[in-house]
Amino acid sequence: NVHMGPQNNTRGFWKHFYAGEFDYALEQLKYVLWVFPNHPVALHMLGVMAKKMGTTTIPIAYYEKAIRLFPDVPYTHAQYGAYFVDTGDVVQGMMELRKALDLDPNLVQARAWLARANAEIGVSTKR
């Protein structure tokens, strides 16, 4: 895949990302998410890019679209929740992480991200 291939790809997103050409890298991600709205790496990197560019709202519409089109994919809810937690909206993040765990109670990554969210608000997860 030219747009989101391996990290040593000499074209597409990674080339622009590593060169600090964030506007071009962002356009590559938007294209990937237009074609594959639920692409987990593109969604994650969109969050990374948004933080680097100083605007954390960019990924929200893309996560919302992915969830609207694929509502039963627990990892997308988990990623979205982790993104919210990472950008300071811990309550919204925890809601998405719980949705992920409702869909798949064994999703280890969602459990880890939820534990991190609980730690941020001072709730112990030990029983």
Side-chain angles (χ1 to χ4, degrees):
N1 178 328
V2 171
H3 300 281
M4 201 73 211
Q7 288 190 17
N8 63 356
N9 190 349
T10 59
R11 302 180 344 204
F13 168 77
W14 296 109
K15 173 193 170 213
H16 297 297
F17 178 75
Y18 289 128
E21 300 167 343
F22 297 141
D23 289 334
Y24 292 110
L26 184 61
E27 290 308 312
Q28 293 293 315
L29 289 176
K30 288 179 177 180
Y31 176 77
V32 170
L33 291 167
W34 176 65
V35 177
F36 306 103
N38 204 33
H39 193 290
V41 175
L43 285 167
H44 171 74
M45 290 309 297
L46 191 61
V48 171
M49 292 292 307
K51 285 187 281 183
K52 284 187 175 291
M53 297 174 80
T55 174
T56 57
T57 59
I58 294 170
I60 293 172
Y62 291 89
Y63 274 113
E64 291 288 330
K65 179 180 178 183
I67 287 172
R68 187 176 66 253
L69 295 174
F70 303 95
D72 297 331
V73 177
Y75 193 76
T76 306
H77 287 281
Q79 266 191 294
Y80 195 21
Y83 180 73
F84 274 128
V85 171
D86 195 39
T87 57
D89 191 345
V90 179
V91 173
Q92 185 67 33
M94 292 174 81
M95 289 172 37
E96 286 298 327
L97 289 161
R98 287 187 182 115
K99 285 179 193 173
L101 289 170
D102 285 345
L103 291 167
D104 182 357
N106 299 314
L107 186 58
V108 174
Q109 191 63 55
R111 289 190 175 282
W113 286 332
L114 185 57
R116 187 182 97 204
N118 281 320
E120 284 200 23
I121 61 169
V123 174
S124 173
T125 57
K126 294 182 180 179
R127 295 183 189 244

